[in-house]
Amino acid sequence: MELGWLLWGAAVLLLLPVLMELSPAVNFALRIGFYYLLFFVCSALTAPVCLLVNGGRTVKNMRIIKTVVKTFKYFFGLRFEVKGLENFEVEGPAIIVSNHQSILDMMGLMEVLPDNCVQVGKKELMYAGTVGLIIYLGGVIFINRKSTSSAKMVMAEVAKTMATDNVKVWVYPEGTRNCTGDLLPFKKGAFHVAVQAQVPVIPVVYSSFTTFYNPKKNLFTSGKIKVEVLPPIETKGLTSDDVSELTDRCYRTMRATLFRLSGRPGE
Ligand SMILES: CCCCCCCCCCCCCCCC(=O)SCCNC(=O)CCNC(=O)[C@H](O)C(C)(C)COP(=O)(O)OP(=O)(O)OC[C@H]1O[C@@H](n2cnc3c(N)ncnc32)[C@H](O)[C@@H]1OP(=O)(O)O
Ligand SMILES: CCCCCCCC/C=C\CCCCCCCC(=O)OC[C@@H](O)COP(=O)(O)O
């Protein structure tokens, strides 16, 4: 019986590289599956460490999470080329906004995440097994995208407390993943919070993943991701009437940067 299993295991191990070469779908499924497994297992192992070291839900756990997630890129042959980190060095809290292409963004997020920075995430993530637990412990702010009123209430609370907690808040203004190489129109929530809290908006742009990652084409290979942290946009003196213009300005700057970093001719 054991011999049978041994032979079976050896056959799979020998066949796997051939299968991965022959079938992009197998390659994609194995690499993405391994990514999920990494998240799941590392979350389960990191949660007790966070509890032991920091005692519960606190942004301080993001340092531990960041240390662990920063190792994931080596498993997938991904490299980050980062510019502009000095733009994170603002006095006090800020709203950070970035484009959002895939769940692979978590590696890019942790690659540059400044200290004392939490993220706004869809509340469904709370139920993602051990990942839900670890992001809860990391201080992630959960919003219900299906209820604008409740989402706005949560965001209004963030605007009130981010100054006292001295935290930066990272928001994905597209509101969903978008791996087309372009930007979706921006939701305004992040910019309302920035104006309500009178804190700067710091745009962060990741180059397009389309050269190495495309679920529709079962493409997931190694690759280089350019990351640029842009200069902060001040909101002092702005009111809710200025939010649309602030959103549009940020959108245009980030879209031009996305095209530049991705080597795509601007429009
Ligand atoms: C060790 C291993 C570890 C492994 C683990 C590692 C990972 C550890 C990190 C995890 C990290 C997770 C990261 C997840 C990332 C996502 O889950 S992304 C998806 C969730 N995020 C978002 O949706 C953020 C962006 N969305 C927003 O900000 C949206 O504005 C809101 C607040 C959700 C509302 O959205 P909406 O219902 O679509 O409404 P929207 O069109 O934006 O606005 C409607 C109206 O309300 C107004 N409005 C909007 N917001 C406001 C406001 N706050 N105040 C006043 N008015 C407002 C607008 O101005 C608009 O009015 P008009 O100007 O058009 O007249
Ligand atoms: C025992 C319980 C078993 C539960 C199994 C769940 C295992 C979960 C394992 C890995 C989950 C990886 C999730 C990492 C965080 C991903 C963050 C992210 O990118 O979420 C997508 C969100 O931005 C936008 O969502 P949509 O594009 O609107 O959709």
Side-chain angles (χ1 to χ4, degrees), residues 24-239:
V26 170
N27 176 57
F28 184 86
L30 286 172
R31 282 169 71 87
I32 276 295
F34 181 61
Y35 185 73
Y36 273 93
L37 187 68
L38 260 185
F39 265 92
F40 190 59
V41 171
C42 292
S43 298
L45 299 174
T46 309
V49 174
C50 289
L51 287 167
L52 274 174
V53 172
N54 293 313
R57 175 173 160 92
T58 165
V59 67
K60 284 186 267 179
N61 288 325
M62 276 298 171
R63 279 191 178 183
I64 301 171
I65 292 170
K66 173 174 165 172
T67 307
V68 174
V69 176
K70 280 183 85 168
T71 64
F72 290 9
K73 58 181 176 281
Y74 300 113
F75 291 103
F76 301 98
L78 295 177
R79 280 173 298 117
F80 291 94
E81 197 178 274
V82 183
K83 271 177 69 179
L85 280 178
E86 67 280 1
N87 287 318
F88 278 144
E89 287 154 25
V90 294
E91 271 306 301
I95 291 286
I96 300 171
V97 289
S98 79
N99 55 323
H100 190 14
Q101 303 180 70
S102 130
I103 61 167
L104 302 183
D105 281 320
M106 296 303 107
M107 292 186 279
L109 169 72
M110 294 299 158
E111 190 68 18
V112 301
L113 190 73
D115 272 347
N116 286 332
C117 182
V118 293
Q119 300 77 31
V120 169
K122 62 179 185 180
K123 72 175 177 57
E124 292 82 352
L125 288 173
M126 229 191 300
Y127 315 116
T130 54
V131 175
L133 171 62
I134 196 75
I135 62 179
Y136 172 79
L137 290 174
V140 168
I141 299 155
F142 297 102
I143 57 165
N144 177 1
R145 291 181 301 187
K146 299 183 181 73
S147 161
T148 301
S149 55
S150 82
K152 285 160 77 170
M153 272 163 55
V154 169
M155 302 286 260
E157 195 53 32
V158 170
K160 278 195 209 113
T161 56
M162 67 190 289
T164 44
D165 299 345
N166 190 27
V167 289
K168 291 180 175 66
V169 178
W170 190 303
V171 184
Y172 291 103
E174 294 169 282
T176 184
R177 288 164 291 181
N178 151 49
C179 204
T180 60
D182 199 344
L183 289 184
L184 293 175
F186 279 4
K187 305 280 185 182
K188 298 175 185 168
F191 306 97
H192 274 285
V193 173
V195 168
Q196 286 160 10
Q198 292 287 286
V199 298
V201 175
I202 306 175
V204 180
V205 182
Y206 293 85
S207 59
S208 174
F209 292 174
T210 49
T211 49
F212 66 87
Y213 180 77
N214 184 334
K216 294 190 180 75
K217 296 178 184 163
N218 285 319
L219 174 69
F220 182 10
T221 59
S222 55
K224 180 172 78 174
I225 301 157
K226 292 182 179 175
V227 192
E228 197 157 316
V229 183
L230 302 178
I233 301 171
E234 281 306 329
T235 65
K236 283 215 182 333
L238 298 187
T239 69

